[in-house]
Amino acid sequence: MWVVVAPLSASHALAQAEAPEPQHIEEVVVSAPEPRYVAPTTRDRIGRIWAPVLINGKGPYRLVLDTGATRSAIIQRVVDDAGLPLRAKPVRLRGVTGSAIVPAVHADTLEFGELVIENATLPIVADAFGGADGVLGGEGMKDKRIHIEFRKDRISIVRSHGAAAPAGFSTVPFKYSVSRGMRIEIMVGTVRTTALIDSGAQATVGNLALRAALARRRGEHGQYDDAIIGVTEDVQPAARVRIPSIVAGDLLVKNAEILFSDLHIFEHWQLVSKPALIIGMDVLGVLDTLVIDYRRNELQIKVRR
């Protein structure tokens, strides 16, 4: 889970300062219902996936579905609202940009659909989720099937029965473990790359080995003008670069603009020396439907028309 901070260009700031004030303009307010659970990625907004989770029977609380997180975490407001007891010992929280020792609470149950997690230890994290109450991690998912419909604002978690992909869907196999994340093999341009599916990430980020491989082929060098802030609130610089394509099975993303950074999590996952990419919601959120079947070790995807 992280957010991206981009600096305001001097020319844009100047344009704002010099713009004349409009006179006698009638204000028209157009409102639309905010997505409750699943928001698609659009030209001006990164998509999100929220799950309505009961904690000790209270809630539901909106937790960001985070396929890159090994465990769930919540913000202090949820701790106070649910009356969760503080653990005697803090825990180490590892994020994409760094790690930190944080307090944690105990919850008897986390429930959503057919997902039930018992005796959960929940780290308390900073309120940096854009209105969400925390993250729903990978614990308890090993036999589950997550069905996410971006256009219909629906999410469900049920027990997987090993069903094949419906008509109109394509499939991408993945390998998953708590210590190694959800990994697929893709092509970034002409470079074979290991990709991690991270629905808690705002942006897609490549490591420096991938950046070097692409630069050798294209002769480009990005400036590190952006920054990535992780759940531990550590900050790492990032370069924004347009790449030729991302190909994962039948999924094709052309001319994507992604970030490159020496993220702490690449070292933790032992993905420093070979090309690697974390695929975030800027890419996942453009799909029509995403199914994550942990029993089949398979992504089932339907692209948006």
Side-chain angles (χ1 to χ4, degrees), residues 63-105:
L63 304 187
V64 173
L65 177 68
D66 192 346
T67 55
T70 57
R71 66 168 66 177
S72 302
I74 54 177
I75 63 175
Q76 183 64 49
R77 185 184 65 79
V78 177
V79 175
D80 298 337
D81 185 74
L84 301 175
L86 194 68
R87 279 173 44 98
K89 293 183 178 180
V91 298
R92 178 172 292 279
L93 177 68
R94 191 177 300 278
V96 295
T97 58
S99 63
I101 303 297
V102 299
V105 293

Side-chain angles (χ1 to χ4, degrees), residues 91-135:
V91 298
R92 178 172 292 279
L93 177 68
R94 191 177 300 278
V96 295
T97 58
S99 63
I101 303 297
V102 299
V105 293
H106 175 268
D108 294 329
T109 58
L110 272 70
E111 301 175 78
F112 171 49
E114 296 184 13
L115 173 68
V116 179
I117 303 169
E118 297 180 334
N119 297 318
T121 297
L122 303 174
I124 304 174
V125 295
D127 187 359
F129 303 105
D133 296 317
V135 297

Side-chain angles (χ1 to χ4, degrees), residues 5-51:
V5 179
L8 183 67
S9 68
S11 61
H12 181 66
L14 183 62
Q16 285 183 325
E18 294 180 349
E21 286 192 15
Q23 299 294 325
H24 307 294
I25 295 178
E26 181 182 359
E27 182 179 8
V28 178
V29 178
V30 179
S31 62
E34 179 75 10
R36 296 183 64 197
Y37 305 121
V38 179
T41 293
T42 59
R43 288 182 178 222
D44 59 352
R45 184 174 183 176
I46 301 297
R48 302 293 292 276
I49 304 171
W50 297 281

Side-chain angles (χ1 to χ4, degrees), residues 204-219:
T204 295
V205 183
N207 68 356
L208 298 190
L210 176 59
R211 179 74 192 100
L214 291 172
R216 284 196 297 270
R217 289 161 170 77
R218 306 182 71 192

